[in-house]
Amino acid sequence: MPPLPSTPLPGFNPRVVCYFQTYHDNGEYVSLLPLITNTSGATHVILSAIHINWDPDNMTLNDDPPDHSKYTQLWDEAMVLQDSGIKVMCMLGGAAKGSFARLDYSESRTDVPLARFETYYAPFRDFIRAHNLDGVDLDIEEEMSLPGVVHLIDRLKADFGRNFIITLAPVATALMPGRPHLSGFDYRLLEAARGNSISWYNAQFYNGWGGLHNTAAYDEIMRNGWRPEKVVAGMLTNPRHGGSGYVPLEVTAAVISVLMERYPNFGGVMGWEYWSSYPQVENSWVWPFCMTLCMGMRRLRDAAIVVNMGRSLSSINMNPR
């Protein structure tokens, strides 16, 4: 894929994406409403993670059915977020394998009948409809064929329309030439085949798959021909949220500032995850707030001011979770 020119897109604003998986902390629900009440700047919330299990009628959100009573407040708040302009999506897959193996259908596969795909896909489709979700994030961390993921994207678009958001969450090396990753297909070929149906890629720059301690990994992806507006830089928001690769906020802010200057259409940032985010774990909305200000200011000096502002909030009990 040859390098593509990066010229400013009219009206394009970088995204601030919050993944949300830890819904309860010591038995208490972790509310999303501070994202609204504190004008955090978050643009998208991705609810994690939906698993399609061996029993198609036993689809789960983490360890429980999505309609379990423990999620009642989550679904109520999701509607409030949507009414406030924040898009609410769900993540399918992740580290727990099996969901995409069950959805890996293509016409060329004689060993997998279409009926099998429909059996596993239908409950997932009905779940999206029931909760009026704005989109799906495909986190494919297992082998899947290129025709299989194309078929899944086509079905989602056919069922939910052109405005339905479809994103993927590859590890960052999946967008680099000749580097190992987890999905089993070439993302450049997927972009060539269905780029018009994919809104962006939530690239994971952690756990050894590329870092955000400097701009090198993101720059390598850009040299591989990707458009910056389609590559969102993913980071850990707390060192205990992933295996490795947490980068302190003051470093991240400086790197994001450089990327904003270097790529006028920088796609934005995503954080894993919303719960217990630095710089103030009791007020997780501060992380998207800081990211929003960093990307709005664009300069290293201003980015440093943002980090200090976020830290100063830690001494103030501002609308905690």
Side-chain angles (χ1 to χ4, degrees):
M1 184 185 297
L4 298 174
S6 179
T7 55
L9 296 173
F12 178 79
N13 292 308
R15 309 165 188 95
V16 181
V17 181
C18 296
Y19 280 83
F20 188 30
Q21 183 175 47
T22 304
Y23 302 111
H24 297 85
D25 186 7
N26 294 323
E28 181 180 354
Y29 174 72
V30 179
S31 178
L32 288 166
L33 296 184
L35 290 173
I36 303 169
T37 57
N38 294 289
T39 317
S40 68
T43 60
H44 299 78
V45 169
I46 301 180
L47 308 178
S48 308
I50 293 292
H51 303 300
I52 297 175
N53 301 305
W54 68 269
D55 179 355
D57 296 322
N58 186 36
M59 190 181 70
T60 53
L61 176 57
N62 293 333
D63 298 323
D64 299 283
D67 59 357
H68 192 284
S69 59
K70 69 189 295 183
Y71 297 130
T72 299
Q73 189 170 351
L74 171 67
W75 298 123
D76 290 344
E77 290 191 357
M79 290 188 291
V80 176
L81 261 63
Q82 289 173 315
D83 289 342
S84 300
I86 297 176
K87 301 296 184 182
V88 178
M89 305 165 59
C90 70
M91 187 191 92
L92 176 64
K97 296 177 172 58
S99 297
F100 294 104
R102 297 178 179 105
L103 294 173
D104 193 357
Y105 167 80
S106 67
E107 293 181 356
S108 62
R109 288 195 62 177
T110 58
D111 60 321
V112 180
L114 179 60
R116 181 178 184 271
F117 170 87
E118 297 293 346
T119 298
Y120 285 109
Y121 173 77
F124 181 54
R125 176 202 61 208
D126 295 344
F127 156 75
I128 296 171
R129 286 176 175 164
H131 295 287
N132 194 33
L133 294 174
D134 296 300
V136 169
D137 181 63
L138 305 177
D139 186 1
I140 306 174
E141 298 187 17
E142 60 183 300
E143 290 287 319
M144 189 177 193
S145 69
L146 179 61
V149 67
V150 166
H151 178 261
L152 177 57
I153 290 171
D154 287 349
R155 279 301 302 272
L156 288 167
K157 282 294 186 181
D159 287 337
F160 296 103
R162 61 186 301 270
N163 293 325
F164 188 72
I165 302 168
I166 297 177
T167 61
L168 284 92
V171 296
T173 54
L175 306 183
M176 301 175 187
R179 300 285 291 277
H181 60 91
L182 302 174
S183 305
F185 57 84
D186 189 327
Y187 277 85
R188 294 174 301 174
L189 296 179
L190 176 62
E191 176 68 9
R194 289 298 183 273
N196 290 338
S197 296
I198 299 169
S199 296
W200 70 86
Y201 298 85
N202 292 302
Q204 301 179 46
F205 288 84
Y206 46 87
N207 287 346
W209 300 105
L212 285 178
H213 53 288
N214 57 40
T215 68
Y218 198 95
D219 290 337
E220 184 174 350
I221 291 172
M222 293 301 101
R223 288 195 298 271
N224 199 30
W226 291 91
R227 302 199 308 273
E229 65 269 19
K230 296 203 74 170
V231 181
V232 167
M235 67 193 75
L236 300 175
T237 61
N238 187 314
R240 63 176 170 167
H241 286 173
S244 63
Y246 173 77
V247 179
L249 186 62
E250 61 268 27
V251 177
T252 301
V255 171
I256 296 302
S257 177
V258 173
L259 292 176
M260 287 290 296
E261 290 284 356
R262 189 169 293 168
Y263 306 108
N265 302 322
F266 176 62
V269 297
M270 72 84 160
W272 182 273
E273 62 162 315
Y274 169 69
W275 165 73
S276 197
S277 299
Y278 283 167
Q280 187 184 0
V281 296
E282 293 82 9
N283 289 301
S284 295
W285 62 269
V286 176
W287 179 84
F289 177 79
C290 289
M291 291 294 104
T292 300
L293 291 181
C294 283
M295 292 190 293
M297 292 181 174
R298 293 177 177 258
R299 292 184 299 173
L300 283 172
R301 179 183 61 82
D302 292 335
I305 292 172
V306 169
V307 173
N308 291 331
M309 183 187 303
R311 285 174 172 162
S312 69
L313 292 175
S314 63
S315 63
I316 307 172
N317 186 17
M318 297 178 60
N319 203 2
R321 300 178 316 195

